[in-house]
Amino acid sequence: MKHSALRAVLLTPLLSLASLPATAMTPSAGCGAEGLSSGTFTLDHDGLTRTIRIHVPVGYDANQPTKLITIFHGWGGNENEFLGNANVISEADSRGYILVAPRGIGSGEPDRSLNSWSFPGSTTGLDGDGRNRDVPGDNAAICNPLATPDYNYPSCSDTAMTTCAWTHCQSDDIAFAVALVAHIGEQLCIDVDNVFAAGGSNGGMFTWSLGQDPASALTFRAIAPIIGLPHRAYLDGPGKPGDLPVLLITGRADTTVPPGRWRNPYYTITSDGDVFYYASATAITRVWAQAHGCSVTADAMPFDDGRPQTDCRTYCTEDAAWPRVLDCRLGMGHTYRLNQTWPLVMDFFDQQSIE
C-alpha cells in the first residue's frame, strides 16, 4: 500500500459543489491535473490529521470527469473495511468509479481506537422526539440505559445527556465529508453531478445524515446505507429540494440494527446484548418516498433487482427503470456480505446517475 505525507488544508475549497449547474459530467477543478494515485494519505481538517484511502480505477483519464463514491466504515472500523475488499475494488474498476474511504475519529486521540461517525442522537443519547417511552428508565433516550453499557466518549463529556451516547464529539463529520469531496475534486477529475455516499453500520447511519442535512445533501447525487438506520424518531427526509435517491440494504436476521417487519411504521429494538432503538426500515423509506412524490397510502410493492437472494420493495412504483427509494433486505445478520450487497449498490448508483 502506498503511503504519502500529502497534507491538505481544507479551509478554502477551489470548487463550490453546491453552486455548479446540474449538467452531465460537470468537471471538478482537478480535471487535467496530474492528481493522486491509489493509496493511503493524510489531510488536515478542523485541527485534526485525518486518514483517507483512495482507489483510482483502472483506465482513469485525468481529462474525463469520473464518478465518485465516498464510503464510511462501521463503528471501530477503518478505511480498509470496504477498500480492502476485492469485490468493492473490482466493481469500481469495471464500472469506472473513484472510491474514497476516510477513517473516523477514535475515542481518544484521532485514529486510535473505536473510530466512529457522529449523527443525530449518537452524541447526546436522546431520541428524536421524546415519545415512545415504554421502557422504565428510558428517559427519551436512544437506548435503555438500564440494559446497555455506557459507551460515552470522553470528548462528549459536555454533550452527552444520557449514558446511551456512543460516538465521538471531536469534530463536525458533516463538514468533514463535504470538505473531503471538495478536496478529492481538486486532486482528481470527478464528475461533480455524480458524487455518491455509502456506508455500513455506524457509517450507514452517518450516510443517512449526509442525505438529511442541508449542509451536505447538495453534495450527493444518491446514498446507500448498509445495515444502518437512524435512531428512533429521527425521520427527516432529504435535506435538499428535488431528487436524492436512496437504497437501503438491511439484514432480516440482524439483531444489532434490525430493520423490523415490513409495514412496521415505528421503531425497532436491538437484541444483541445492548438495547438501542432505531427507526424501522419501513418508517424511514416511507418518509423519503413521500418526499419524492411517491404515494405511501398502500404497502410497498416488490421490485425485482435481478437477484433471488434479495427482497426489495418500493413505494415509488411509477418510476421508470429503478425506483428512487428502494428498501432491500437479505437473509443475513449484522454483516456487509459485500459479494452480494456491493454489486447492488453499484447497480443503484449506475441507474441514478445523471448522464
Side-chain angles (χ1 to χ4, degrees), residues 95-183:
R95 302 181 194 232
Y97 282 73
I98 297 169
L99 307 178
V100 57
R103 185 186 303 177
I105 296 178
S107 58
E109 294 180 7
D111 298 344
R112 292 296 177 89
S113 63
L114 299 179
N115 303 311
S116 66
W117 306 100
S118 298
F119 63 101
S122 71
T123 59
T124 63
L126 298 177
D127 70 16
D129 62 5
R131 295 197 296 266
N132 304 320
R133 289 192 291 279
D134 52 358
V135 178
D138 182 346
N139 191 31
I142 59 171
C143 82
N144 179 353
L146 301 181
T148 303
D150 182 351
Y151 295 108
N152 276 202
Y153 284 42
S155 61
C156 293
S157 59
D158 295 330
T159 306
M161 305 298 291
T162 77
T163 58
C164 296
W166 62 286
T167 64
H168 79 89
C169 296
Q170 294 187 59
S171 183
D172 182 342
D173 283 332
I174 293 290
F176 168 68
V178 173
L180 174 63
V181 172
H183 172 65

Side-chain angles (χ1 to χ4, degrees), residues 41-311:
F41 307 92
T42 61
L43 59 85
D44 291 343
H45 175 74
D46 196 23
L48 300 174
T49 298
R50 307 297 297 266
T51 299
I52 61 171
R53 181 174 172 180
I54 299 170
H55 177 73
V56 179
V58 174
Y60 166 76
D61 182 345
N63 295 302
Q64 180 73 15
T66 302
K67 298 175 185 179
L68 169 69
I69 305 176
T70 57
I71 311 175
F72 301 90
H73 61 72
W75 193 70
N78 59 36
E79 66 280 3
N80 302 315
E81 195 170 88
F82 283 84
L83 266 59
N85 183 277
N87 293 290
V88 173
I89 298 302
S90 64
E91 290 287 339
D93 282 339
S94 65
R95 302 181 194 232
Y97 282 73
I98 297 169
L99 307 178
V100 57
R103 185 186 303 177
I105 296 178
S107 58
E109 294 180 7
D111 298 344
R112 292 296 177 89
S113 63
L114 299 179
N115 303 311
S116 66
W117 306 100
S118 298
F119 63 101
S122 71
T123 59
T124 63
L126 298 177
D127 70 16
D129 62 5
R131 295 197 296 266
N132 304 320
R133 289 192 291 279
D134 52 358
V135 178
D138 182 346
N139 191 31
I142 59 171
C143 82
N144 179 353
L146 301 181
T148 303
D150 182 351
Y151 295 108
N152 276 202
Y153 284 42
S155 61
C156 293
S157 59
D158 295 330
T159 306
M161 305 298 291
T162 77
T163 58
C164 296
W166 62 286
T167 64
H168 79 89
C169 296
Q170 294 187 59
S171 183
D172 182 342
D173 283 332
I174 293 290
F176 168 68
V178 173
L180 174 63
V181 172
H183 172 65
I184 299 302
E186 294 167 1
Q187 302 297 318
L188 292 167
C189 186
I190 69 169
D191 180 359
V192 174
D193 294 326
N194 286 311
V195 176
F196 303 91
S201 192
N202 171 229
M205 300 166 195
F206 177 58
T207 299
W208 280 111
S209 291
L210 289 173
Q212 292 170 321
D213 196 316
S216 51
L218 286 170
T219 299
F220 299 99
R221 170 58 193 151
I223 63 173
I226 303 173
I227 58 171
L229 289 160
H231 276 301
R232 183 175 67 185
Y234 287 101
L235 292 173
D236 292 337
K240 68 176 182 180
D243 200 21
L244 183 55
V246 60
L247 164 68
L248 171 62
I249 302 177
T250 55
R252 294 190 295 271
D254 191 346
T255 60
T256 300
V257 188
R261 294 181 179 274
W262 296 104
R263 306 183 185 89
N264 172 6
Y266 302 113
Y267 65 98
T268 66
I269 303 176
T270 295
S271 59
D272 64 350
D274 296 328
V275 182
F276 280 96
Y277 309 128
Y278 293 99
S280 72
T282 294
I284 187 63
T285 56
R286 188 164 65 176
V287 168
W288 276 60
Q290 193 167 24
H292 281 79
C294 306
S295 174
V296 299
T297 56
D299 293 338
M301 298 298 293
F303 172 78
D304 183 6
D305 71 310
R307 299 172 177 82
Q309 67 269 26
T310 57
D311 182 0

